[in-house]
Amino acid sequence: MRIVVSGYYGFGNGGDEAVLEAIVGALRARIPQAQVVVLSAAPDQTKSLHGVAGVSRTTGALPAIAGADLFISGGGTLIQDATSARSALYYLGLLGLATVLARATMVYAAGIGPLRRGWLRMLATEVLNRVTLITVRDEDSRRLLQELAVRRPVQVVADPAFALDPVPATEVRDLVGVPRAPRIGVALRPWRDGGFLEPLVDGLRAACREIGAEVIALAFHPERDLAVCVQAARAMGGRALAGLSPREMMAVVGALDLVVGMRLHALVYAVACGVPPVGLSYDPKVEGLLTRVGVRRLLPLPSLTAEGVRREVRAAWDERHAVRARLAAQAVSLREAALRAADLASILLASRAGGKEG
């Protein structure tokens, strides 16, 4: 049995690698006999990191998809045109091919949208109406599919990374150090002209003075994020961490007292580990996650002010004990929801196998 997985894999983005690790782990637990093949920008690296067969996401895609028992698109926000039309066209193109060449197809815990271009919206409707099984990670994605007139049943699950387990805290103790003071994690990425950084740093610096906290900047996609993380950390007398595996980064987040994040998976890890999050909202997925867990600590980047940052971070600090208790219950249900996508994939494959045998 062969399962082919397509996503933004092999590019060094810690969030996407966390999604892949969680998907592969969940599938292996349920379908141990399956061979998992991943379409990757760095096939050898993907094979080494995840113990799967890695093939080129360009030249290796067609041979891998042909005859596959299941083609999975996801997770992550793949079908969107916020950055360019190319991303949505690539993933919809592969999914469309798979509806013809593979035995079954699945959208796995994906974020969908935004889709602004009319022709891409029509293409998405056409392709997704041919997919065997659709699961999305949030309610906003379900609503967009409904708006696009996707008639296939759509099930809302949760981001696959909610099913990850961090490495033991002892394995990251040297990275985070002895807690001499409260620790605030800041997960940044480049955005527009970088004008958000000055008010963010000024506001965080003021909040840290009031709380007596230190800052640890977390680079989830080092190639893109490290420079801005180092710049912010230096400005606040903190330090930056990069180059960690998904489970190591999750353990680091779990050792913090508060997380301020642009990167979605910094906030996913925070929720999963019961660490109060503050979202830096540059994309609807950030607001969507925090709304789902009932923690509406959001700082919209376009209107960011130093005083707004100070006030929101201080408020999150003051309510941290109550929020931790709420997140503990949320984390359990989100983990179950994340694993439900793998359950559905397993049921789909079993039903197809049973149909062939009958």
Side-chain angles (χ1 to χ4, degrees):
M1 181 179 291
R2 183 159 50 90
I3 300 173
V4 177
V5 183
S6 165
Y8 190 71
Y9 304 131
F11 289 96
N13 184 314
D16 290 288
E17 297 304 320
V19 165
L20 180 57
E21 186 165 339
I23 291 174
V24 170
L27 290 174
R28 281 184 172 151
R30 288 155 181 77
I31 319 162
Q33 74 278 20
Q35 179 198 22
V36 179
V37 179
V38 176
L39 306 184
S40 171
D44 291 341
Q45 181 186 79
T46 296
K47 179 181 177 180
S48 173
L49 287 174
H50 302 287
V52 297
V55 301
S56 167
R57 73 199 302 266
T58 52
T59 58
L62 198 56
I65 293 169
D69 293 281
L70 177 62
F71 175 84
I72 285 175
S73 179
T77 312
L78 306 179
I79 301 173
Q80 54 82 23
D81 63 357
T83 48
S84 74
R86 287 194 305 273
S87 174
L89 190 57
Y90 170 79
Y91 292 111
L92 285 170
L94 286 185
L95 193 50
L97 280 172
T99 62
V100 177
L101 299 176
R103 294 188 174 95
T105 51
M106 177 180 182
V107 171
Y108 193 113
I112 308 290
L115 280 173
R116 300 188 178 98
R117 294 166 174 85
W119 64 272
L120 269 178
R121 292 169 73 91
M122 287 190 290
L123 180 62
T125 302
E126 167 64 25
V127 171
L128 291 168
N129 272 322
R130 302 204 310 265
V131 170
T132 316
L133 174 63
I134 300 176
T135 63
V136 294
R137 73 180 176 206
D138 52 49
E139 192 61 33
D140 286 346
S141 296
R142 187 198 65 78
R143 277 194 293 268
L144 178 55
L145 293 182
Q146 187 176 39
E147 184 184 311
L148 293 175
V150 172
R151 298 181 301 276
R152 306 292 296 167
V154 176
Q155 302 204 42
V156 178
V157 288
D159 192 288
F162 277 111
L164 271 188
D165 293 309
V167 300
T170 52
E171 293 189 24
V172 296
R173 192 170 290 155
D174 291 343
L175 292 173
V176 294
V178 178
R180 298 182 301 273
R183 295 177 292 207
I184 297 177
V186 184
L188 303 178
R189 55 161 291 167
W191 188 71
R192 294 187 180 174
D193 64 357
F196 73 93
L197 194 58
E198 184 177 345
L200 176 64
V201 164
D202 289 347
L204 277 169
R205 193 189 291 119
C208 286
R209 277 198 302 266
E210 292 179 17
I211 296 166
E214 61 178 351
V215 165
I216 300 177
L218 308 172
F220 271 68
H221 191 171
E223 185 180 330
R224 294 187 181 180
D225 301 354
L226 188 56
V228 69
C229 285
V230 167
Q231 184 181 351
R234 285 177 177 164
M236 293 181 280
R239 54 206 169 92
L241 294 179
L244 307 184
S245 73
R247 294 177 64 232
E248 288 171 338
M249 186 66 91
M250 192 177 197
V252 167
V253 169
L256 303 174
D257 297 283
L258 206 68
V259 168
V260 180
M262 289 177 75
R263 285 291 184 189
L264 177 69
H265 285 90
L267 302 172
V268 167
Y269 290 173
V271 172
C273 296
V275 177
V278 177
L280 296 170
S281 186
Y282 74 100
D283 186 288
K285 64 188 178 185
V286 171
E287 184 173 356
L289 172 63
L290 296 191
T291 299
R292 182 171 184 172
V293 300
V295 180
R296 293 277 299 174
R297 291 289 166 204
L298 285 162
L299 289 162
L301 284 195
S303 56
L304 205 63
T305 66
E307 175 55 23
V309 172
R310 183 205 65 79
R311 189 169 55 244
E312 202 71 11
V313 171
R314 183 58 200 254
W317 174 256
D318 291 341
E319 67 183 15
R320 66 193 183 281
H321 298 301
V323 169
R324 277 188 179 275
R326 291 208 306 275
L327 291 179
Q330 291 278 357
V332 172
S333 64
L334 286 165
R335 181 185 180 88
E336 291 172 352
L339 291 172
R340 194 156 63 245
D343 291 336
L344 292 167
S346 177
I347 292 166
L348 171 62
L349 284 167
S351 70
R352 292 289 167 126
K356 278 188 240 174
E357 288 165 7

